[in-house]
């Protein structure tokens, strides 16, 4: 048969102990697409293309990683997507207990890569597959690179898109920080836009010191609930989140990866601000209109905004999403990961954000009873030193605010950097589109050529071994 199948292989709650939890098993969601999988005339079975799931439900990544489907026919590949534990429907202790502090103890990237390894090993054995290529974008890209590092006997080639591993390992201190790149993206759309955002925030800070500000702010941002001073920091975070997310998904065509957005959403938001300035001359209203584009999307069905429903503050200053997934990612940022540096209003257009290790430690200790230990995670993953690694592609788009924390230069002849000049967050992992800029078309060709070269090299090495 051909097409998509959903499977639920059982995984242990804990891969690294021999106690009660290790014997507890839970179903993990896996999508399989076998339409392109074939066996050659000489009996050679096509490779496995596996996507290492991110911090969200599997369906979203399946629907937004068309690159794997576009190139699978060239390889006769079987496509498999594996959901990350604690996200979507792959919940070790069910929908409630999984998100207690005790239940969250088994959520880590190391446990997740062990899940992936067991499923890959099972598929290789069951299907007589000899070669595996792993793919991933963002955190999924980090995981896919780690799969090649931790389990090289299982994964022959890794394609890691927009994976800020050096930043996570704190071995990279980029000249341009995350929020400065967001600002640059808006400036590239129109040089006036960062100034409008800065003045809009300045106006907001001044407004809340005046009488009657509650009604004025509520009206300016079309808030569902009356605004008061206790909501100020959250409103600022809500606005900042909208702009950084539009910079991340600044794709050249309409997309719905993080809400239904128009082509080049940064340019669209910038143009909306410029139009509002012509109409009212009010920078605060201009900022509100731009933020509304992200949360309301092109459908525009919302009559008002619930800033607490649409944005959740957490240990990741770039946002944790919403729903149960927000709790899971918050936990991971309270244990393993410290990522983007805060905004400062000097090199970027956003208000200064006090967010340092002391603040994060206090937040995480109060919420989960833990504090971040990025050094431990960094040691587990070679501190982002890839000199001894092989067969990994690190791709980064220069529009993506995360690119500064990624691998931007070749490490060795088989750990290659691919740069997408006009690319946002893992654009190269998306399916081909008539609106694709030349740089992403070239990047995908390079990636396919490297995958073919390295798989052939592995094949030749295996035949020599026998």
């Amino acid at each position: 048969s051909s097409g998509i199948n959903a499977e639920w292989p059982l995984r242990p709650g804990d891969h690294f102990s021999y106690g009660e939890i290790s014997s507890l098993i839970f179903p993990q969601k896996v999508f399989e697409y076998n339409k392109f999988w074939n066996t050659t005339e000489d009996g050679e079975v096509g490779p496995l293309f596996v996507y290492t799931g991110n911090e969200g439900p599997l369906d979203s990544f399946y629907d937004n990683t068309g690159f794997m489907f576009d190139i699978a026919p060239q390889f006769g590949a079987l496509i498999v997507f594996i959901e990350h534990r604690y996200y979507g429907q792959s919940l070790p202790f069910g929908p409630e207990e999984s998100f207690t502090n005790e239940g969250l103890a088994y959520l880590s990237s190391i446990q997740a890569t062990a899940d992936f390894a067991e499923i890959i090993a099972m598929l290789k054995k069951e299907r007589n597959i000899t070669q595996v290529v792993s793919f991933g974008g963002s955190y999924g890209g980090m995981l896919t690179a780690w799969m090649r590092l931790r389990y090289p006997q299982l994964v022959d080639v890794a394609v890691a898109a927009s994976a800020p591993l050096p930043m996570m390992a704190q071995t990279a201190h980029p000249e341009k920080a995350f929020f400065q790149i967001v600002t640059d993206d808006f400036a590239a759309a129109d040089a006036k836009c960062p100034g409008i955002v800065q003045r809009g925030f300045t106006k907001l800070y001044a407004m809340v010191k005046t009488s009657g500000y509650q009604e004025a702010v509520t009206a300016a941002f079309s808030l569902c609930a009356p605004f008061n001073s206790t909501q100020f920091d959250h409103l600022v975070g809500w606005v900042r989140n909208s702009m950084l997310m539009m910079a991340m998904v600044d794709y050249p065509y309409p997309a719905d990866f993080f809400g239904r957005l128009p082509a080049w959403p940064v340019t669209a938001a910038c143009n909306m601000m410029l139009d509002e300035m012509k109409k009212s001359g009010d920078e605060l209203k201009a900022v509100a209109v731009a933020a509304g584009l992200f949360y309301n999307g092109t459908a525009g069905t919302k009559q008002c905004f619930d800033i607490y429903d649409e944005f959740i503050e957490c240990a990741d200053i770039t946002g944790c999403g919403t729903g149960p997934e927000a709790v899971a990612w918050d936990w991971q940022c309270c244990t393993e990961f410290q990522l983007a540096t805060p905004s400062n209003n000097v090199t970027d257009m956003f208000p200064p954000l006090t967010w340092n290790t002391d603040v994060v430690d206090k937040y995480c200790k109060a919420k989960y009873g833990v504090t971040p230990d990025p050094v431990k995670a960094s040691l587990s993953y070679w501190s982002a030193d890839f000199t001894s690694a092989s067969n990994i592609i690190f791709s980064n788009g220069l529009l993506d605010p995360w690119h500064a924390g990624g691998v931007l230069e070749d490490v060795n002849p088989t750990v290659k950097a691919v740069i997408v000049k006009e690319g946002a967050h893992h654009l190269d992992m998306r399916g081909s589109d008539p609106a694709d800029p030349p740089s992403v078309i070239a990047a995908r060709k390079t990636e396919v050529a490297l995958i073919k070269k390295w798989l052939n090299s592995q094949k030749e090495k295996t035949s020599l071994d026998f």
Side-chain angles (χ1 to χ4, degrees):
S1 64
S2 64
I4 180 174
N5 298 307
E7 300 176 12
W8 297 84
L10 299 176
R11 300 270 61 78
D14 182 12
H15 291 277
F16 304 105
S17 74
Y18 297 94
E20 183 180 345
I21 295 298
S22 63
S23 60
L24 179 148
I25 56 175
F26 72 97
Q28 189 159 8
K29 190 173 185 178
V30 174
F31 282 153
E32 176 187 307
Y33 188 82
N34 59 18
K35 183 178 179 181
F36 307 122
W37 190 39
N38 64 29
T39 302
T40 63
E41 291 180 0
D42 59 2
E44 184 179 323
V45 177
L48 172 64
F49 281 6
V50 60
Y51 187 92
T52 50
N54 298 47
E55 68 283 22
L58 191 60
D59 307 57
S60 177
F61 303 106
Y62 184 89
D63 293 337
N64 287 277
T65 314
F67 176 60
M68 293 171 65
F69 297 86
D70 288 347
I71 69 171
Q74 300 179 47
F75 295 85
L78 173 65
I79 298 173
V80 166
F81 281 65
I82 309 174
E83 191 164 66
H84 192 300
R85 59 168 55 202
Y86 288 84
Y87 294 98
Q89 296 173 281
S90 300
L91 306 176
F93 308 108
E96 293 184 9
E97 193 179 338
S98 292
F99 300 103
T100 64
N101 290 0
E102 295 76 18
L104 287 165
Y106 303 95
L107 169 56
S108 70
S109 60
I110 298 174
Q111 295 278 7
T113 51
D115 288 334
F116 299 153
E118 287 196 357
I119 293 172
I120 291 170
M122 176 187 72
L123 287 168
K124 288 185 73 174
K125 183 177 181 181
E126 287 181 356
R127 314 296 175 85
N128 200 29
I129 292 171
T130 58
Q131 294 193 309
V132 176
V133 183
S134 64
F135 297 79
S138 195
Y139 172 47
M142 294 163 65
L143 291 165
T144 235
W146 290 333
M147 287 301 296
R148 174 63 185 159
L149 290 167
R150 289 185 73 88
Y151 302 101
Q153 81 281 17
L154 295 177
V155 173
D156 298 283
V157 178
V159 184
S162 300
L165 280 160
M167 181 187 291
M168 190 284 295
Q170 299 186 357
T171 58
H173 304 283
E175 291 181 12
K176 285 194 174 184
F178 183 93
F179 289 102
Q180 184 177 355
I181 298 170
V182 176
T183 303
D184 289 348
D185 288 349
F186 276 82
D190 191 290
K192 300 185 190 75
C193 286
I196 293 172
V197 174
Q198 280 188 311
R199 293 193 300 276
F201 276 118
T202 300
K203 199 166 185 176
L204 178 61
Y205 275 76
M207 183 180 285
V208 296
K209 296 176 183 176
T210 63
S211 61
Y213 73 86
Q214 295 93 335
E215 293 81 5
V217 174
T218 302
F221 287 93
S222 302
L223 303 181
C224 299
F227 178 80
N228 63 60
S229 59
T230 63
Q231 301 169 1
F232 181 79
D233 288 341
H234 195 90
L235 177 63
V236 170
W238 179 84
V239 174
R240 181 172 47 228
N241 181 68
S242 73
M243 295 186 179
L244 73 88
M245 293 301 288
M246 286 189 284
M248 280 176 57
V249 295
D250 198 19
Y251 299 137
Y253 44 76
D256 58 2
F257 189 37
F258 292 125
R260 190 175 297 176
L261 293 174
W264 299 116
V266 167
T267 299
C270 185
N271 287 338
M272 290 172 73
M273 288 193 285
L274 294 171
D275 289 344
E276 183 60 38
M277 290 302 294
K278 289 177 184 175
K279 187 166 62 176
S280 68
D282 186 344
E283 291 92 350
L284 183 61
K285 184 61 179 172
V287 168
V289 166
L293 173 62
F294 177 70
Y295 294 109
N296 214 350
T298 52
T301 56
K302 293 183 180 180
Q303 300 301 309
C304 61
F305 296 107
D306 183 339
I307 61 174
Y308 286 92
D309 181 59
E310 294 154 356
F311 171 66
I312 296 175
E313 289 183 275
C314 64
D316 181 354
I317 57 174
T318 68
C320 286
T322 57
E325 287 77 26
V327 177
W329 186 244
D330 196 21
W331 167 271
Q332 289 195 261
C333 290
C334 274
T335 50
E336 296 185 282
F337 304 137
Q338 285 188 330
L339 296 168
T341 53
S343 54
N344 56 36
N345 202 233
V346 177
T347 60
D348 59 65
M349 62 188 182
F350 301 102
L353 178 64
T354 303
W355 200 247
N356 52 41
T357 53
D358 291 339
V359 174
V360 177
D361 285 356
K362 185 177 179 181
Y363 166 85
C364 295
K365 190 71 174 177
K367 190 163 186 180
Y368 301 110
V370 299
T371 54
D373 189 359
V375 173
K376 180 179 178 181
S378 179
L379 288 173
S380 298
Y381 297 121
W382 293 266
S383 298
D385 181 352
F386 304 108
T387 51
S388 61
S390 65
N391 297 2
I392 302 176
I393 299 168
F394 288 106
S395 64
N396 282 280
L398 298 187
L399 298 180
D400 180 14
W402 290 110
H403 84 260
V407 177
L408 303 177
E409 297 179 350
D410 292 352
V411 177
N412 63 42
T414 58
V415 177
K416 306 287 283 185
V418 174
I419 303 301
V420 186
K421 184 180 177 183
E422 303 104 334
H425 205 45
H426 48 73
L427 174 63
D428 53 323
M429 289 292 101
R430 299 179 64 81
S432 61
D433 188 278
D436 280 333
S439 59
V440 76
I441 295 170
R444 292 183 185 127
K445 287 181 179 177
T446 299
E447 290 161 1
V448 170
L450 288 171
I451 294 169
K452 287 181 177 178
K453 178 181 178 181
W454 292 340
L455 287 182
N456 287 335
S457 177
Q458 291 287 90
K459 203 179 298 180
E460 290 167 6
K461 182 178 181 295
T462 303
S463 62
L464 288 173
D465 289 345
F466 288 96

